[in-house]
Amino acid sequence: MKTIYSVIIGLTILVTNVSYGQTNPERDLLVGEWEFQLDQSFSEISNVSKSYLDSIPIQELQLIKRNYNGRRIVFDSNGAYRQIQGNGAIVKGNWTYDSELKTIEIILPNGALFEQSVVKMNQDNLVIVPKTEENVNMIINVWYFNRL
């Protein structure tokens, strides 16, 4: 009888250690600081976005590009998220990664939720597509980042 209890306790410890010791390699790959690639991202904007950008004054276009240029995102291992805008403004929140859906969720302190599909991810590059409502047209549809 003592042997059965010993085996059950041993298996419980083993299973517990395995489940807590597991890591998510894709999530771990996201951890770090990434810099937005303006030219590469702008090269793939939709025709609707191109038409819009062609219709606005050059000063407004420059302002849009300035807000994206130099943008960085940081995924901390503890789940904290920071987005540093081109103008230095910082947006903070928390992030999670769903490896089955290949989706990043960013939750801001006010409860706003932003989802992004991961198109490509490796040690040096990250390509994401922000999920939006059908009637919303984002200027930049595909966001390219390089690891810093």
Side-chain angles (χ1 to χ4, degrees), residues 120-139:
K120 176 184 175 184
M121 176 174 40
N122 61 40
Q123 190 61 37
D124 300 315
N125 308 108
L126 174 63
V127 181
I128 56 178
V129 174
K131 291 185 178 184
T132 61
E133 309 247 342
E134 282 187 35
N135 59 348
V136 174
N137 181 44
M138 296 198 62
I139 292 175

Side-chain angles (χ1 to χ4, degrees), residues 34-44 68-72 124-127 140 142-148:
W34 301 86
E35 184 173 43
F36 185 75
Q37 301 303 299
L38 181 70
D39 292 337
Q40 193 171 11
S41 298
F42 260 86
S43 73
E44 292 195 28
Y68 282 101
N69 194 34
R71 180 177 289 196
R72 293 174 291 141
D124 300 315
N125 308 108
L126 174 63
V127 181
I140 302 175
V142 181
W143 296 6
Y144 289 83
F145 291 88
N146 288 344
R147 185 182 297 278
L148 290 178

Side-chain angles (χ1 to χ4, degrees), residues 10-22:
L11 285 174
T12 303
I13 291 171
L14 178 64
V15 169
T16 304
N17 284 339
V18 168
S19 64
Y20 285 116
Q22 289 178 345

Side-chain angles (χ1 to χ4, degrees), residues 36-144:
F36 185 75
Q37 301 303 299
L38 181 70
D39 292 337
Q40 193 171 11
S41 298
F42 260 86
S43 73
E44 292 195 28
I45 61 174
S46 68
N47 288 333
V48 172
S49 293
K50 284 178 188 174
S51 296
Y52 170 74
L53 293 174
D54 288 343
S55 71
I56 62 175
I58 191 72
Q59 298 88 350
E60 197 172 328
L61 175 61
Q62 289 171 341
L63 179 62
I64 290 169
K65 286 188 172 187
R66 218 176 14 251
N67 283 331
Y68 282 101
N69 194 34
R71 180 177 289 196
R72 293 174 291 141
I73 56 175
V74 180
F75 298 102
D76 289 332
S77 61
N78 65 0
Y81 170 83
R82 290 184 315 280
Q83 177 177 296
I84 301 98
Q85 308 283 36
N87 64 5
I90 298 175
V91 176
K92 293 182 179 182
N94 292 302
W95 71 280
T96 60
Y97 179 71
D98 185 322
S99 56
E100 288 183 27
L101 298 176
K102 306 260 186 250
T103 302
I104 301 168
E105 286 189 348
I106 297 165
I107 304 163
L108 302 183
N110 67 2
L113 173 68
F114 298 95
E115 291 183 283
Q116 302 165 339
S117 295
V118 176
V119 176
K120 176 184 175 184
M121 176 174 40
N122 61 40
Q123 190 61 37
D124 300 315
N125 308 108
L126 174 63
V127 181
I128 56 178
V129 174
K131 291 185 178 184
T132 61
E133 309 247 342
E134 282 187 35
N135 59 348
V136 174
N137 181 44
M138 296 198 62
I139 292 175
I140 302 175
N141 311 73
V142 181
W143 296 6
Y144 289 83

